[in-house]
Amino acid sequence: MLKTLHAAKGYELGKDVFIAPYDWRLAGDGHEQRRNGVGGYYPHLQALIEQAVQANGQPAVVLSHSLGCPTILYFFHKYVSDQWKAQYIHGWVALSSPWMGGTTLVQSYLGGWTLGLPTWLVPHDYVRRVQVNASSGVWMSPHPKAFGDNPIVITPSRNYTAADVPELVRTIGKSTWGNQTGALFDKLQGPYGELQSAPVNIQLHNWYSTGIKTGESFFFDTDLFDGFDKADQKTVWGDGDGLVNLVSLKQVEEVWPKTDSVSTKVFPNCTHFGILSDQRVISALAEYVGAPKAMNSTALFV
């Protein structure tokens, strides 16, 4: 992306293109201010955008990917004013957003997720202890309003839906982190669902991919118990980008309140991470930031 933007439009990193990494363990409230040595991302993000826009004399195009999209959604809804958005933001391109979570996060709770790497290289539960304690995991978990009564985890004696995930977490982590992590759902999942709408004064471009088999249900040969740590024995596949289910990716055009400030673009047969290097996406991004209304805008990657 950076090479294409530089070659086609003359963008230079550190001048009119900026990268703003964040602590992926945190949900939006954790980014508002720094506590106990973590958090406080939003004040720095706001300052970076203001400085970049003032230096270049043009509003910013914000590009986010995956969890970066809910992170920016919270920033726009809860942290900055409508007047600020109108002054500093030209548009927002959201790539592969888990707007209402995904079933892969439940798989992570039960047996870990290898970040897409083979299990001979990364054990299935290698980063599980981090995954199950991250407040951002609530955002990435399947939301009942999107996934409804579809069974996600199937055991010999019970089926678990999205609404049952907090109970599932408490069951498998009863003696360790279960109650703490389960309580995060009570605190964060409802309010996150309330954020599902286009921020005022923001032109949102929702881009995602389809056509990649994505896990919808996971079968286990034993019931859940305290300390459960197993990979599933069988997976039922559905549509998505290989990580985020289609029902979550398409929330914007199917469920969000309709507005002229939102558009959708779909790139078939492209994976969740592959979208970052897909030439169709890169070309579309270069075309967007180079359009007359966005000409010379500042670009910010989250």
Side-chain angles (χ1 to χ4, degrees):
M1 285 184 174
L2 292 174
K3 289 180 179 178
T4 299
L5 288 175
H6 176 70
K9 308 298 177 182
Y11 280 84
E12 295 184 18
L13 185 62
K15 179 183 177 183
D16 44 20
V17 176
F18 300 87
I19 300 175
Y22 60 97
D23 189 337
W24 61 266
R25 299 171 299 175
L26 302 178
D29 63 328
H31 292 304
E32 290 186 314
Q33 57 181 304
R34 193 165 183 81
R35 297 186 182 93
N36 301 319
V38 297
Y41 173 67
Y42 289 152
H44 294 286
L45 177 64
Q46 181 178 2
L48 173 61
I49 293 174
E50 291 175 356
Q51 293 166 8
V53 168
Q54 290 167 3
N56 290 279
Q58 296 290 338
V61 170
V62 177
L63 172 70
S64 58
H65 174 252
S66 193
L67 177 59
C69 300
T71 300
I72 290 297
L73 182 67
Y74 188 101
F75 174 76
F76 283 150
H77 269 307
K78 296 289 189 178
Y79 194 78
V80 293
S81 68
D82 294 343
Q83 181 180 358
W84 185 92
K85 286 175 284 187
Q87 180 178 353
Y88 288 101
I89 305 299
H90 170 77
W92 174 24
V93 178
L95 296 176
S96 307
S97 178
W99 297 114
M100 294 296 266
T103 57
T104 299
L105 208 287
V106 179
Q107 190 180 30
S108 299
Y109 286 145
L110 293 170
W113 178 51
T114 65
L115 308 178
L117 299 172
T119 53
W120 60 262
L121 178 62
V122 176
H124 72 91
D125 59 355
Y126 184 70
V127 294
R128 180 172 180 257
R129 290 182 63 85
V130 176
Q131 291 170 332
V132 298
N133 282 285
S135 59
S136 61
V138 176
W139 283 4
M140 300 289 277
S141 294
H143 200 290
K145 288 186 177 180
F147 288 81
D149 294 330
N150 295 324
I152 295 173
V153 173
I154 296 96
T155 71
S157 66
R158 181 173 174 182
N159 293 344
Y160 294 82
T161 68
D164 299 321
V165 173
E167 179 187 352
L168 177 152
V169 168
R170 291 184 176 99
T171 298
I172 64 177
K174 182 177 180 180
S175 62
T176 52
W177 39 263
N179 287 333
Q180 175 180 320
T181 304
L184 291 174
F185 284 83
D186 300 331
K187 174 185 177 184
L188 298 172
Q189 192 169 62
Y192 178 60
E194 295 170 1
L195 294 178
Q196 301 300 305
S197 62
V200 175
N201 293 335
I202 295 292
Q203 289 290 327
L204 168 60
H205 304 270
N206 184 44
W207 296 0
Y208 61 87
S209 53
T210 61
I212 306 298
K213 68 177 186 178
T214 306
E216 288 190 348
S217 300
F218 308 98
F219 287 76
F220 295 85
D221 58 6
T222 63
D223 290 327
L224 305 184
F225 54 84
D226 185 17
F228 190 94
D229 181 10
K230 293 185 177 183
D232 60 288
Q233 279 66 52
K234 176 185 175 182
T235 300
V236 174
W237 302 100
D239 198 0
D241 64 11
L243 182 59
V244 182
N245 308 90
L246 182 59
V247 68
S248 183
L249 292 165
K250 65 181 184 180
Q251 281 288 299
V252 167
E253 69 261 31
E254 294 203 353
V255 180
W256 282 22
K258 303 299 181 184
T259 171
D260 293 337
S261 65
V262 174
S263 66
T264 295
K265 192 182 293 288
V266 180
F267 300 87
N269 303 316
C270 178
T271 67
H272 184 78
F273 293 109
I275 199 170
L276 295 172
S277 57
D278 188 282
Q279 191 55 53
R280 295 169 299 174
V281 178
I282 295 174
S283 297
L285 178 63
E287 180 180 357
Y288 172 59
V289 300
K293 291 184 179 180
M295 188 66 72
N296 300 321
S297 62
T298 302
L300 183 79
F301 294 171
V302 178

